[in-house]
Amino acid sequence: ALPEKKMVFKGLVTNKEDMNKLMLTPLIRYPLRGGSALIIFEKAEVAQRIIEMKEHMVELSNGEELEELDRGRVRVQAAPVDVLLPSVLEIGLTRSSRSIIVSDLPSLGIPEEALLDKLELFFSKTKNGGGEVESREFLDDSGQVVLTFVQDGVAEPLIARGHIQVLLGKGKYDLKISPHMSGGITNLQLQPSRCPRTVLLSGIPDVLGEEPMRDTLEIHFQKASRGGGEVETLAYVPVGQQGVAVFTEDVG
């Protein structure tokens, strides 16, 4: 029996319902054909108004008074932007019986292959709790290594230990041992979602350079007298080229 002692908990408190949840951040690639532009307005009502007007006559004179000639104006079409967002996502995970993840690796200033050789040499010895190593590889951009053993029954005792001291070079380092999980998507359902502040312009002819045309479009659609408003972002792709717009968490 231990004597009573007052304890103060300073950890992070969370609800049970919030555990084991996967948070998804959209990263949607939207192709843009030549002769088109994407405009994101600061206010959704402005984008809706531009879309409802459907067709717009854009002055190429940047505000100068010209006669109504085809060479002085371009006619463009406005349409909404719909993207597909996941509504249901199920992932099946499998725990490998012969693989472990080794992390908290030190920075020794040696090539990756040399570090892998040292790890394989250590974990292949039965006195260290290991066994013959079948494969080893670095996980992309994680600084972690996956070791796969030839036989079953080697990985589980190492994982149960959680940490192990490994001699690397002239020093001993406390490395973390974790299970290796693999899996894939078993169910994915998508639903269309309309971007409330974004407008797709199409039918833009190749009559100005890329930068002058971008400036002309932004000037036109910022004018309240033309139904526009403050523009947050404008991306223009000239005729003969292709582009990709990337929408992130705050889908415009």
Side-chain angles (χ1 to χ4, degrees), residues 66-210:
L66 292 177
E67 294 181 6
E68 193 170 329
L69 299 174
D70 288 342
R71 62 182 178 84
R73 297 183 176 188
V74 295
R75 194 185 305 270
V76 300
Q77 286 73 44
V81 174
D82 294 319
V83 296
L84 291 175
L85 292 177
S87 58
V88 175
L89 175 63
E90 295 178 2
I91 300 176
L93 293 176
T94 304
R95 179 168 170 167
S96 173
S97 62
R98 295 190 293 116
S99 298
I100 61 172
I101 293 180
V102 183
S103 55
D104 293 346
L105 296 169
S107 179
L108 300 178
I110 61 176
E112 287 187 355
E113 280 299 316
L115 180 56
L116 290 175
D117 287 342
K118 292 180 181 296
L119 290 173
E120 179 176 351
L121 183 61
F122 179 89
F123 283 100
S124 63
K125 295 180 179 180
T126 55
K127 68 177 184 178
N128 295 329
E132 184 179 349
V133 175
E134 180 180 280
S135 64
R136 77 274 173 94
E137 62 175 332
F138 268 95
L139 288 176
D140 294 338
D141 301 323
S142 69
Q144 300 176 335
V145 170
V146 178
L147 293 177
T148 301
F149 298 100
V150 173
Q151 297 179 338
D152 290 334
V154 178
E156 286 302 324
L158 289 170
I159 293 169
R161 291 174 65 175
H163 289 81
I164 188 170
Q165 282 215 334
V166 178
L167 181 63
L168 297 174
K170 296 181 180 180
K172 277 191 174 183
Y173 301 91
D174 190 36
L175 305 187
K176 183 179 179 181
I177 310 296
S178 308
H180 180 236
M181 309 294 291
S182 60
I185 296 174
T186 57
N187 184 18
L188 174 61
Q189 298 178 23
L190 302 172
Q191 65 178 10
S193 177
R194 178 154 296 180
C195 302
R197 298 186 294 116
T198 304
V199 176
L200 174 65
L201 301 177
S202 58
I204 305 171
D206 188 17
V207 292
L208 287 178
E210 184 174 345

Side-chain angles (χ1 to χ4, degrees), residues 25-29 85 246-249:
T25 300
L27 187 65
I28 301 164
R29 301 182 185 276
L85 292 177
V246 179
F247 291 94
T248 54
E249 186 170 4

